[in-house]
Amino acid sequence: MAGLISNCCNTVEIIGHTDEQPIGIISSNLDLNLETAASQGGSVSTLKAGSNADLGLMRSLAVVKELLKIQQQNKMPGVQFRAYSAAQLILPSGEFAPIPQEKRQPEPKRRRIEIRFTRLGEVREVK
């Protein structure tokens, strides 16, 4: 599979999703600690999510870090990994999901990651 990935794409995008349940009253530490957690020796477990957007990013970063460990074993050479958060805005069906606060319900199926295999082209300046 690793050969197949590096032949078809050069980037793997990991998108973290959540349901619309509020995190609670927690102060996020991502602004201070995200880069350290993302570094080779860092750990996602040191991060504290203050929002669903934070939680989605933490989910995707945890997967990226595991993929980087696999890549260190000479698998998937040349593939770049990117971590993103969609928070609670995208349903598993792919539809946009603005849900009124009074209708929010816990929905485990929405707590997920999405993996996209892409081939990014040459970067061009738009004038």
Side-chain angles (χ1 to χ4, degrees):
M1 181 171 159
L4 179 64
I5 291 172
S6 59
N7 289 333
C8 77
C9 66
N10 59 7
T11 306
V12 177
E13 299 173 319
I14 310 297
I15 301 104
H17 298 270
T18 64
D19 63 11
E20 66 279 358
Q21 292 302 298
I23 297 291
I25 304 173
I26 298 173
S27 293
S28 171
N29 69 356
L30 270 69
D31 288 341
L32 296 174
N33 300 327
L34 185 59
E35 289 89 353
T36 302
S39 69
Q40 188 172 7
S43 174
V44 176
S45 65
T46 63
L47 299 175
K48 294 179 184 174
S51 69
N52 276 311
D54 289 354
L55 185 57
L57 183 57
M58 289 167 57
R59 282 189 176 137
S60 64
L61 181 58
V63 172
V64 166
K65 289 187 66 77
E66 290 302 314
L67 291 170
L68 287 169
K69 287 179 190 175
I70 293 168
Q71 193 175 50
Q72 289 175 349
Q73 300 167 9
N74 294 322
K75 298 178 181 174
M76 296 184 283
V79 176
Q80 294 185 2
F81 304 101
R82 296 186 176 181
Y84 300 111
S85 174
Q88 69 268 26
L89 291 178
I90 308 296
L91 295 171
S93 66
E95 295 176 79
F96 187 64
I99 297 176
Q101 191 156 357
E102 66 275 3
K103 293 186 178 183
R104 293 180 176 182
Q105 298 293 319
E107 220 177 315
K109 288 181 183 179
R110 291 181 64 188
R111 300 176 202 141
R112 67 197 190 282
I113 58 151
E114 176 182 335
I115 301 174
R116 294 182 184 169
F117 301 93
T118 60
R119 177 166 287 288
L120 296 181
E122 182 180 324
V123 176
R124 297 181 187 169
E125 183 178 340
V126 177
K127 296 180 183 182

